[in-house]
Amino acid sequence: MTEPTTHAPARDAAELHAEFEAVWGNPKGWRALSVVNHTSVANRFMVTGAVFFVIAGLLGMLLRAQLAQPGQAFMGAEAYNQVFTMHGTMMMFLFAVPIQQGLAAYLLPKMLGARDLVFPRLGAFGYWCYLFGGLIFTSSLLVGLAPDAGWFMYTPLSSNTYSPGMGADFWLLGITFIEIATMAAAIDITVSILRARAAGMGLHQLPIFAWSMLVTSLMVIVGFPPLILGSLLLELERAAGWSFFDPTRGGDPVLWQHLFWLFGHPEVYIIFLPAAGVVSMLVPVYARRPLVGYRWVVVSMIGTGFISFGLWVHHMFAIGIPALSQAFFAMASMLVAIPTGIQLFAWIATLWSGRPVWSVPMLWVAGFLLIFVIGGLTGVMLAFVPFNWQVHDTHFVVAHFHYVLIGGMLFPLIAGIYHWLPHFSGRLPSDRLSRVGFWLTFIGFNGTFLVMHWTGLLGMPRRVYTYDTGLGWDMPNLISSVFSFVMAFGIATLLLDLVLHWRYGRKAPLNPWNADTLEWASGTPARSYNFASLPRIDTRHPLWDAPDLPETIATGQHALPHAAHGRRETLGVDPVSGRVREVIHLPGNSWWPLVAGGLLALLCMALLLKQYPVAIGLALLAVVVLLRWSWESGGQANAVAGETHDLPEGLKLHSHTFDGPGLWGMGLTLLADASLYASLLFGWLYLWTVVPGGQPVAASPLGTWPLAVVALLFGTGVVVLQRGVRRLRAGNAAGLQGALWLASTCGVAACAGLLWLLLTAGLQPTLRAHDAVLAFTLIYLLLHGALAAVLAALQALRVGLGRVSMMAPYEPGVVAMWWQFCALATALAWALMAMLPLAFGARP
């Protein structure tokens, strides 16, 4: 294969820019709603996240105003609980993760030498889901139906008995809807980091921010599904009366805590790791030297991600779990401080051995270092079980939580915004106003939450809306409230600075901070296509080692320096080595993401209003729209037609290979699906082993063999599909259409078996938790099987129309992966829910 990045003759930069803008440029007016370009979508994510941050911050100020003095009547108990729930939920779900994903979506293609993320329409779809879900959730405040059971929605407080009305439903349905956006962004970012980079950029040369987002995105993919499952189960319990968490019907409210914190503690590091990646990017730039211990920092991030999944019971020490479990999770909670400490020492060593420039971004980094160390130390204190028992559910925990999350995320985020602000706007920030904003925020934050540790040690419980005088809490609460307003003035100053910046900021040079990474070679403000040509990168510091890169890129002296063909292209590389494999053909602007997101929003509203016939109709319509979208994205006409004569020698479009980005996207989707399914099986085994008298009957209501027959049908479809794919890989497409029709028939038969089992098994999900889990599992398998049958049928149609062929061969492999998952999931359900109770002699 010819190296695609050899130097080409220089072209006029303005002429080249016009050529690329004709293909990549964003439409104006109402057609801007169809834009899928990562820069535009990422900007929307960040602006929307900032708006939700302001709303959540104002709610937090209401809380501090209420607690400023004892016996306040500013808010009643119900209003306080609603504001408390909305503040925590919006900060965690609508601000902290989405805004960092937005920053990553903006920066990563530019850092990695790509023209866009690999799934631009998926990114746009994620944004619309985020926006619509956030608006639906926030509207609960305006209509007086906000949830009031806490941002953690513990059962039974969130059950119909103690939370009647629609408040908890807004939380369960709205947050689940919003998490679609988070999952979509995580999949898009992961595949893009692995498969869309500059030629030659191996994993050992990735910018640290890319590593942090790779680890974070994989954590999202594995960590968010347990909460999605818990939300679905709790909403079924509230809306349909099914029993999952009700102990009077064989459920257990502690199961909700397990599912929530299986997500919740990794969430802390999902928020922290991107911020740590920002710090690792900024410290070398302002220290004027490479990061000390690059490999150690990467290993520590990966280690943090792994260890974080073993900490969830850290939040449950006071509920009566066995002492052995407490010891294990206490040890794991202390162990996670080791990889975090490695990063801290790497930053300090880099600053110590460099020549630091204490600009505004570095002020925020320094504030982060101090605050996060305090938060980490109090976290280690909480890992000690006896101490945890003393301060559990007190304001000490609230203080620790804010030190970790605000200090560990907000301060680095603002540092990163100031650092990359010239990239967004082409202008430099105001040094004077930004410093005032920093000091007001830093002093106000510490005055608010450092004192709150004292309040907690004095015994003040969290989640109380008022208190009596004479308990020793009066003065510390007043101090916290006063300083919270100082912090609010600091944030307001920052927002004012950012607003004025766009109009009055001085014009910035191309690389104002003399940074080392590739995003500063893409132009400021950023172009819609990022790079007019794609360079080869063999170093971690491309702009330090090759300062002329911005000029040679802009004049088309590297790979893919043409856009006259009308395609949006970027290079696809080997995930490890960075060797070029193919050219990825990216889809253009589309209305499908907006239409699909809008339909799902309407579905969410129909479920909230309990209009279930309407919801079923909207769900079916949404499925049709998503399938139509997939039909268009799966094979673009000019790619299938073979218009590829202008590609570098030896390279093909990804749709002409067996390893396109869609294969990786499906793999990660199934990883998330597997996490949700594993959580469901965990719930089944938990109820069996923990709930008194909770063993299932030996003779399962599902029978011994029906699920085995269904698994066999799915397995037959897998064998047929895999044979067809193998023949296709060998250069023989004969019989592929027939194999796909046969697989679809197997899927229809398997779905018929699941439906028959669901209707005839005599399950009573409203009376017994085990029956509810069995019924949910059958519905889960039925939906997956139906989609498998439809996908195989659509592939058969695409073969007949020539959209899948020897020229465009990789789609059947994607569908085969879905079928493999269906077969394995059904086999596991049969083994655990039909055979395991029999093997262990469960009571008849």
Side-chain angles (χ1 to χ4, degrees), residues 583-655:
V583 174
I584 297 174
H585 182 192
L586 300 168
N589 298 327
S590 172
W591 291 101
W592 293 119
L594 175 58
V595 173
L599 284 172
L600 290 178
L602 292 174
L603 171 60
C604 181
M605 293 175 65
L607 291 172
L608 280 170
L609 298 173
K610 304 192 183 320
Q611 300 297 313
Y612 297 122
V614 176
I616 292 172
L618 287 169
L620 293 174
L621 184 57
V623 169
V624 170
V625 167
L626 290 169
L627 290 174
R628 175 62 183 83
W629 173 8
S630 73
W631 180 274
E632 178 181 309
S633 295
Q636 298 162 47
N638 56 345
V640 177
E643 298 176 12
T644 58
H645 58 276
D646 49 5
L647 294 178
E649 183 181 349
L651 293 184
K652 299 178 180 180
L653 292 181
H654 78 268
S655 56

Side-chain angles (χ1 to χ4, degrees), residues 39 213 348 605 659 698 764:
T39 298
M213 287 310 305
I348 294 173
M605 293 175 65
D659 190 25
Q764 296 179 302

Side-chain angles (χ1 to χ4, degrees), residues 95-96 100 267-280 340 343 347 364-376 399-416 445-446 449 487:
F95 166 65
Q100 293 193 104
E267 164 82 343
V268 173
Y269 297 97
I270 287 169
I271 292 172
F272 164 68
L273 283 177
V278 169
V279 173
S280 293
T340 305
Q343 296 179 68
W347 300 327
W364 288 95
V365 169
F368 152 77
L369 293 174
L370 176 63
I371 291 171
F372 190 74
V373 167
I374 296 174
H400 159 73
F401 199 68
H402 284 82
Y403 260 84
V404 170
L405 292 181
I406 294 183
M409 175 266 172
L410 182 63
F411 275 61
L413 176 67
I414 297 175
F445 173 83
N446 284 285
F449 296 106
M487 180 182 174

Side-chain angles (χ1 to χ4, degrees), residues 37-50 94-110 117 123 126-127 130 181-182 185-186 189 209 213 216-217 274 278 409 413 417 420 424:
N37 180 274
H38 81 99
T39 298
S40 300
V41 172
N43 285 334
R44 291 172 179 175
F45 259 106
M46 288 186 281
V47 170
T48 306
L94 273 71
F95 166 65
V97 176
I99 199 168
Q100 293 193 104
Q101 287 186 321
L103 182 64
Y106 178 91
L107 288 174
L108 284 174
K110 300 172 177 63
L117 298 171
Y127 172 72
Y130 168 52
T182 307
I189 288 170
F209 183 67
M213 287 310 305
T216 299
S217 298
V278 169
M409 175 266 172
L413 176 67
I417 288 173
W420 283 295
F424 293 108

Side-chain angles (χ1 to χ4, degrees), residues 200-201 205 537-543 545:
M201 184 183 284
Q205 292 159 336
I537 301 298
D538 297 308
T539 172
R540 293 177 193 153
H541 313 286
L543 293 191
D545 295 339

Side-chain angles (χ1 to χ4, degrees), residues 446-456 475-477 479-480 483:
N446 284 285
T448 302
F449 296 106
L450 190 62
V451 176
M452 203 176 288
H453 291 95
W454 174 25
T455 316
M475 183 56 68
N477 269 303
I479 294 172
S480 289
F483 276 99

